[in-house]
DNA sequence: CTGCATCCCCCATGATACTG
DNA sequence: CAGTATCATGGGGGATGCAG
């Protein structure tokens, strides 16, 4: 794949890296993009907390709650309390949150390819 | 062909999320994508260790060395020892490493936009 | 069931000193 | 200058209990 690279040092190049820092600060952990893609996988189903916890192998309930809270504060998911007994909570991607799907899929694809690259060593 | 499976079993969506885990495990930290974009910013210049350390605000030499080592092991950067006195070391993106640039740029762009979104709160 | 508080442990990271 | 080894430490994250 040929990537076009800038001919000269762009003045805005370095400063704008701050934006990448912002992204990485929010999304750079192990879980958030994984959660986003998990929710997006089954758009038609209600994404119960418990179901997410079971499906995302290795995450603890505490972590999941914390990550979902952060995602909610950043307008990426919505949190809905269902009127069941006992209470359940469902999560969904916002329209804005869906803007992360292409990025997550690119990373997913990259990871798929990377596994091959590394195995060829 | 597509085989219909009973009940809630998803298509290949969930299993493939393992690839996203791989990517996040390697790239999910605070620094690696930032380093990649830093190096890509000035393709014509030699990327000395010391220069990277100064430009990437907040990173310690120890961290930078560790991250660069991991990137090298994953074929994303090359490490070149220069015959100077005292010895200096330069880093460059591999052709493969350049495949991360579009992803990093997307994240950067997303971060730029996200700052606006959140401020509108 | 969901999510928070508390306790606690361990690892990632910083600081420092040292080698090549 | 680049990188490693050692030591100290703060906070991330697990386990548990409890409240709503």
């Amino acid at each position: 794949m040929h990537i076009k690279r800038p001919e000269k040092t762009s003045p805005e190049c370095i400063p704008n890296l701050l934006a990448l820092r912002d992204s990485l600060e929010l999304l750079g952990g192990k879980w958030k993009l994984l959660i986003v893609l998990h929710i997006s996988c089954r758009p038609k189903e209600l994404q119960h907390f418990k179901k997410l916890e079971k499906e995302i192998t290795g995450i603890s309930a505490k972590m999941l709650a914390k990550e979902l809270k952060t995602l909610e504060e950043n307008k990426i998911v919505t949190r809905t309390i269902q009127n069941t007994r006992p209470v359940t909570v469902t999560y969904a991607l916002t329209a804005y949150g869906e803007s992360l799907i292409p990025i997550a899929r690119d990373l997913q694809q990259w990871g798929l390819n990377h596994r091959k690259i590394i195995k060829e060593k």
Side-chain angles (χ1 to χ4, degrees), chain A residues 34-112:
Chain A
L34 203 60
I35 292 169
V36 166
L37 220 48
H38 253 279
I39 295 179
S40 79
C41 270
R42 300 174 180 176
K44 298 290 176 56
E45 297 178 33
L46 291 178
Q47 298 296 323
H48 294 270
F49 182 90
K50 200 66 184 180
K51 202 175 70 173
L52 287 173
E53 185 188 353
K54 271 188 294 186
E55 283 184 359
I56 304 180
T57 315
I59 199 171
S60 67
K62 176 181 168 183
M63 265 295 100
L64 183 56
K66 201 187 70 179
E67 301 289 69
L68 285 168
K69 193 176 184 181
T70 305
L71 289 174
E72 189 196 359
E73 286 164 358
N74 282 275
K75 317 279 194 189
I76 291 166
V77 303
T78 56
R79 179 176 183 275
T80 310
I81 301 177
Q82 306 289 337
N83 258 341
T84 52
R85 280 193 56 81
V87 166
T88 59
V89 181
T90 61
Y91 293 86
L93 281 184
T94 62
Y96 175 53
E98 289 175 3
S99 69
L100 282 173
I101 295 181
I103 293 177
R105 289 219 184 289
D106 285 348
L107 268 171
Q108 186 183 21
Q109 200 56 45
W110 191 90
L112 221 56

Side-chain angles (χ1 to χ4, degrees), chain A residues 3-28:
Chain A
I3 307 289
K4 197 167 188 181
R5 307 173 82 178
E7 291 305 314
K8 293 182 175 181
T9 302
S10 150
E12 305 103 47
C13 190
I14 298 294
N16 278 351
L17 289 174
L18 291 175
L20 181 55
R21 281 188 195 237
D22 289 346
S23 299
L24 289 175
E25 180 149 355
L26 174 57
L27 305 169

